[in-house]
Amino acid sequence: MDQKGPSPIRYYTLPQARSFQLAAAALLAGCVGAPSGDREVADAAEDGERASGRAELVTFEYEPLDSAAVAALREYASEGVDVIEGFFGRPFRTSFTFRILPTRAAFDDHAKEKWGMEETACWMVGGAEDNGIVLVTPRIWTSECDHDPDDPAHIRDLVVHELVHVFHMQHNPSHEFEGADEVGWFVEGLATYVSGQLEREHAARAREAVDTGAVPARLVDAWSGPDRYAVAGSLVAYVEEIGGREVVTDLLDATSQQQILRRLGIEEDQLLREWADWVVGR
């Protein structure tokens, strides 16, 4: 960040009761950092009950310039937590941080450090790790990069999409899906489906992909091309169609395509063929 001296960061918390309050204010030098201390609050509850006794789940970190953006983002995060925990019937395992970055340069710095990317494309505005979300402030988004800063529903869906990734990472042994590229279709498809983006933005594209023959011959290719969100999201929707919500939830800890197919009891080519028929028949 192009600033002199320490940067004022305000922390907001998302309590279990879903009411928001100012938790603390601090001065931190250099890059924004997460508050210290053990953030683990509960293990996954198999009976679907919410983790008990957690004082906070989401901590927001942002520059004062983005106070207005945070007011909306915290509401979307609250809604997203409810949607995700309701979908899977289990809580987030640990609390986490939602960092709003004030500039593209700050996001590039984060992407280089965390993901080894030298530069981010303008349509890339956020990312997730098991310990939180980073998001370029909507204040500097431009609609030319596929993100409308004046569309609350679009921003809400994007936030929930990234929250699904955080939840998934917390319930997957790889934590940040390292070496799990072959299940990228399930990782991204799950976030697209649970967030509601499939229904609101991509459902028609899935049908178009099938009608034009632009469907993957292999599952690993489902997360590729211009229709990747539609294809991957609808594949996860079809997994729920044939196996139910319980099967989708059971796949949270899958780290390979073989695991997914074995649990579904189906071969890869059969899954893709039957999915395409289902998309056309909807």
Side-chain angles (χ1 to χ4, degrees):
M1 291 175 284
D2 187 16
Q3 283 185 297
K4 295 181 180 179
S7 171
I9 306 300
R10 297 181 180 180
Y11 297 110
Y12 274 83
T13 61
L14 170 59
Q16 187 175 2
R18 303 294 184 244
S19 62
F20 295 92
Q21 60 187 20
L22 182 63
L27 293 178
L28 298 181
C31 296
V32 179
S36 61
D38 186 1
R39 295 190 149 201
E40 184 161 346
V41 292
D43 289 332
E46 295 300 330
D47 59 2
E49 291 184 357
R50 217 178 265 280
S52 62
R54 58 184 177 185
E56 64 182 53
L57 180 60
V58 185
T59 298
F60 281 80
E61 295 182 7
Y62 63 98
E63 298 285 352
L65 185 62
D66 289 313
S67 296
V70 171
L73 292 171
R74 66 189 190 189
E75 295 293 341
Y76 303 148
S78 177
E79 180 182 350
V81 167
D82 286 339
V83 166
I84 294 163
E85 293 187 341
F87 183 95
F88 293 105
R90 62 179 67 174
F92 282 81
R93 282 187 164 178
T94 67
S95 54
F96 56 91
T97 303
F98 194 144
R99 295 174 57 188
I100 295 89
L101 302 180
T103 65
R104 172 64 59 176
F107 186 52
D108 283 344
D109 288 344
H110 182 88
K112 183 175 183 178
E113 178 183 354
K114 292 291 293 186
W115 309 316
M117 300 176 64
E118 290 299 323
E119 188 177 47
T120 60
C122 67
W123 56 264
M124 297 177 64
V125 295
E129 295 114 16
D130 66 342
N131 64 350
I133 294 174
V134 292
L135 184 74
V136 177
T137 174
R139 175 175 51 79
I140 65 170
W141 290 6
T142 61
S143 57
E144 290 81 7
C145 289
D146 299 326
H147 297 294
D148 186 351
D150 298 316
D151 184 348
H154 177 71
I155 300 173
R156 174 264 180 204
D157 287 351
L158 189 150
V159 168
V160 181
H161 181 109
E162 297 302 334
L163 285 174
V164 174
H165 286 323
V166 174
F167 183 92
H168 194 174
M169 291 174 185
Q170 290 186 0
H171 290 80
N172 189 279
S174 67
H175 296 299
E176 293 191 0
F177 306 123
E178 294 180 1
D181 291 347
E182 67 176 18
V183 295
W185 68 270
F186 182 74
V187 172
E188 291 295 341
L190 187 66
T192 302
Y193 180 50
V194 177
S195 68
Q197 289 174 315
L198 175 65
E199 177 183 352
R200 285 184 281 273
E201 298 183 39
H202 301 295
R205 294 288 296 272
R207 174 62 185 265
E208 290 173 10
V210 173
D211 287 345
T212 60
V215 296
R218 305 178 304 162
L219 279 171
V220 72
D221 298 325
W223 181 242
S224 64
D227 298 319
R228 60 189 181 278
Y229 285 101
V231 171
S234 62
L235 271 167
V236 173
Y238 182 62
V239 167
E240 183 177 50
E241 177 75 12
I242 63 176
R245 182 69 54 82
E246 183 178 351
V247 169
V248 176
T249 302
D250 182 57
L251 292 174
L252 284 170
D253 68 354
T255 57
S256 70
Q257 186 167 284
Q258 183 181 18
Q259 282 180 305
I260 293 176
L261 292 172
R262 184 172 64 246
R263 293 182 191 180
L264 292 176
I266 193 170
E267 296 294 327
E268 179 180 15
D269 59 346
Q270 181 184 355
L271 175 60
L272 287 167
R273 183 174 62 254
E274 293 182 357
W275 158 76
D277 291 342
W278 176 76
V279 168
V280 171
R282 294 189 72 184

